[in-house]
Amino acid sequence: MPVFLYLVLLVLGLHCTSCKNSEGKATTCYYPPKNGTLYKMSSINADFAFNLYRSFTVENPQRNIFFSPVSISAALAMLSLGACSSTQTQILESLGFNLTDTPTSEIQQGFQYLMCSLNFPKKELELQMGNSLFIGKQLKPLAKFLNEVKRFYETEVFSTDFSNISAAQQEINSHVEKQTKGNVVDLIQDLQPNTVMILVNYIHFKAQWANPFDPSKTEEDYSFLVDKTTTVQVPMMHLMEQYYHLVDTELNCTVLQMDYSKNALALFVLPKDGQMEWVEGAMSSKTLKKWNRLLQKGWIDLFVPKFSISATYDLRSTLLKMGIQDAFDDNADFPELTEDNGLKLSNAAHKAVLHIGEKGTEAVSIPEVRFLDHPEITLLHPIIQFDSSFLLLILEKSTKSILFLGKVVNPTEV
């Protein structure tokens, strides 16, 4: 009888106008030596992100899409540490790595460097990414695996009694609630009886806009076009400021870069009417590099909706279609993880939450912010209104990692 491993990925993205340094207990992070794979990581991870995005759009047409590509990549790469043969090969190749010319040791070092860089404390940017591994008391994990997941992925390992399902659920849910600052509760509801291991991955992110919006200029009832026949009313923030932006005539879209005060940025992509599928199909790491090269700074009369977006995915079907098949099969091969036989991946779940606004969430203490008028600005500057479906990317600057990727079809849909 097979025993089950759960892969649960949690993302909490909170955008606010005031925040502190990363909280939680201190960890010692050792940067590995740089290698050739490290310099290709951002491109490889970005292409995986867009491939995953396109899979989600097929499964969820005309719906909001939102997830954290970097957390999914890191969790799967971590899982590959315990795998061998085709089980490991399928995981790493689905992530976009060419195993013919890329040693697996370099891949793991690349993710180790990524984890260290993302978790390095940054003033005015709260970014914490981590993994927690809940292992059944009867399981005999190999010391090498436990050491490697701690070294590469800063993973906490907990011995859990899965024979008491309600107690195990409470233990995991309490841990998740604590790590996500109380924003994700009662995540695990229906553990399978033969579960022996659960991997939980999370990202917690808060950042301050470099140019915060003035709440007094937010229009509460602004028309947002969901489709040709549907319009919803949303709060629309407004600011006249200098931003990096461009019109991509090849992809028929407008791209706007909104910087956070420290080490992160958001890209808002507004396709022309009827061009969303064309833009979605063309998105790649090369597209991001092109935009980065062509973006130019200038005054913009900007309108951005104030909204919250969340999404929950059962990744099993998506990962199967992307080539990760053996890990879910009865013949799954995880000999580097445990001495026990019959371990296979049962489920992979992903949850993401994001709030965008002038001042962030109500739970955050906001200092007084003074807003200056710009009387010298004329009314002849370009107007960019995100009043119809648009794409949203949030990137960490030093690693060029896509922390979040999504599509806002209906900003009132929670």
Side-chain angles (χ1 to χ4, degrees):
M1 180 181 294
V3 288
F4 298 123
L5 180 155
Y6 275 71
L7 180 65
V8 181
L9 303 112
L10 306 172
V11 180
L12 175 64
L14 298 176
H15 295 263
C16 57
T17 58
S18 177
C19 48
K20 302 176 182 178
N21 287 336
S22 294
E23 299 175 1
K25 59 185 181 181
T27 58
T28 301
C29 195
Y30 298 99
Y31 284 90
K34 294 185 177 181
N35 57 55
T37 302
L38 180 63
Y39 297 102
K40 299 183 288 186
M41 284 281 290
S42 63
S43 295
I44 292 172
N45 285 345
D47 286 328
F48 170 77
F50 294 123
N51 287 335
L52 191 56
Y53 171 90
R54 283 185 278 269
S55 295
F56 287 153
T57 59
V58 171
E59 296 174 6
N60 302 274
Q62 307 305 315
R63 297 291 302 273
N64 291 343
I65 302 290
F66 186 68
F67 65 103
S68 171
V70 70
S71 71
I72 296 175
S73 294
L76 290 173
M78 175 182 160
L79 184 63
S80 76
L81 274 173
C84 279
S85 61
S86 60
T87 302
Q88 182 187 66
T89 299
Q90 288 175 5
I91 293 172
L92 295 178
E93 288 186 346
S94 294
L95 288 175
F97 294 97
N98 184 342
L99 300 184
T100 302
D101 57 17
T102 307
T104 57
S105 59
E106 285 195 7
I107 296 173
Q108 298 301 339
Q109 288 175 354
F111 277 100
Q112 181 184 11
Y113 191 94
L114 177 63
M115 296 290 293
C116 284
S117 300
L118 293 179
N119 286 330
F120 186 81
K122 304 171 184 69
K123 187 179 180 181
E124 296 182 329
L125 175 63
E126 186 175 333
L127 176 58
Q128 185 181 6
M129 181 175 176
N131 300 282
S132 299
L133 197 59
F134 297 85
I135 296 179
K137 289 184 176 181
Q138 80 280 19
L139 197 67
K140 299 173 183 176
L142 299 177
K144 179 185 176 184
F145 175 77
L146 296 180
N147 290 334
E148 287 184 340
V149 295
K150 286 182 179 179
R151 178 161 60 99
F152 292 127
Y153 296 94
E154 302 177 37
T155 297
E156 294 182 276
V157 180
F158 302 93
S159 180
T160 304
D161 183 6
F162 284 108
S163 65
N164 187 336
I165 291 179
S166 61
Q169 287 186 172
Q170 183 177 356
E171 178 187 354
I172 296 166
N173 287 337
S174 295
H175 178 78
V176 167
E177 184 176 351
K178 178 181 177 182
Q179 295 296 339
T180 61
K181 312 296 174 71
N183 285 274
V184 177
V185 297
D186 297 329
L187 178 81
I188 304 294
Q189 300 276 350
D190 52 355
L191 282 182
Q192 296 186 28
N194 293 326
T195 297
V196 293
M197 188 165 75
I198 291 182
L199 169 61
V200 173
N201 168 285
Y202 65 88
I203 279 187
H204 183 74
F205 174 73
K206 291 185 181 181
Q208 173 180 332
W209 292 121
N211 297 303
F213 293 86
D214 182 349
S216 68
K217 294 184 179 179
T218 297
E219 185 176 334
E220 289 303 318
D221 293 308
Y222 201 97
S223 294
F224 186 98
L225 187 63
V226 175
D227 55 42
K228 293 181 179 180
T229 59
T230 308
T231 300
V232 295
Q233 301 301 305
V234 298
M236 185 68 73
M237 303 181 294
H238 178 218
L239 183 64
M240 189 175 288
E241 189 51 80
Q242 293 190 73
Y243 291 102
Y244 286 98
H245 65 283
L246 67 89
V247 175
D248 188 329
T249 55
E250 181 183 0
L251 294 187
N252 295 319
C253 64
T254 298
V255 181
L256 176 85
Q257 176 177 314
M258 285 181 60
D259 288 299
Y260 294 100
S261 59
K262 294 290 180 180
N263 218 44
L265 63 87
L267 288 179
F268 291 78
V269 183
L270 183 67
K272 289 185 178 179
D273 186 34
Q275 298 298 307
M276 175 62 81
E277 290 186 9
W278 169 246
V279 175
E280 290 175 325
M283 292 294 288
S284 68
S285 59
K286 291 181 179 179
T287 305
L288 293 184
K289 290 175 183 177
K290 179 183 77 171
W291 287 348
N292 185 59
R293 187 177 68 250
L294 297 178
L295 283 164
Q296 293 188 339
K297 196 169 188 178
W299 286 102
I300 292 294
D301 196 7
L302 177 64
F303 295 83
V304 176
K306 178 180 178 180
F307 67 97
S308 296
I309 185 173
S310 64
T312 302
Y313 300 101
D314 178 352
L315 295 178
R316 179 188 172 101
S317 62
T318 303
L319 296 178
L320 284 170
K321 292 174 184 176
M322 295 181 72
I324 301 178
Q325 298 178 340
D326 286 5
F328 293 96
D329 191 80
D330 287 342
N331 296 319
D333 194 9
F334 288 101
E336 300 298 319
L337 195 156
T338 176
E339 298 176 2
D340 302 81
N341 296 320
L343 185 66
K344 72 172 183 177
L345 187 60
S346 170
N347 190 30
H350 182 69
K351 181 169 185 176
V353 182
L354 178 76
H355 309 287
I356 285 188
E358 326 93 341
K359 289 189 174 183
T361 62
E362 294 179 1
V364 180
S365 175
I366 307 300
E368 180 181 357
V369 181
R370 296 180 176 233
F371 298 91
L372 303 179
D373 292 328
H374 300 283
E376 73 279 9
I377 301 175
T378 70
L379 299 178
L380 300 179
H381 300 296
I383 298 174
I384 300 180
Q385 300 182 83
F386 288 88
D387 56 0
S388 60
S389 298
F390 61 90
L391 303 178
L392 172 64
L393 300 86
I394 297 175
L395 295 92
E396 197 273 340
K397 289 182 179 178
S398 65
T399 62
K400 299 181 177 62
S401 296
I402 303 177
L403 302 179
F404 304 97
L405 173 58
K407 173 171 63 174
V408 180
V409 175
N410 183 347
T412 66
E413 182 181 283
V414 179

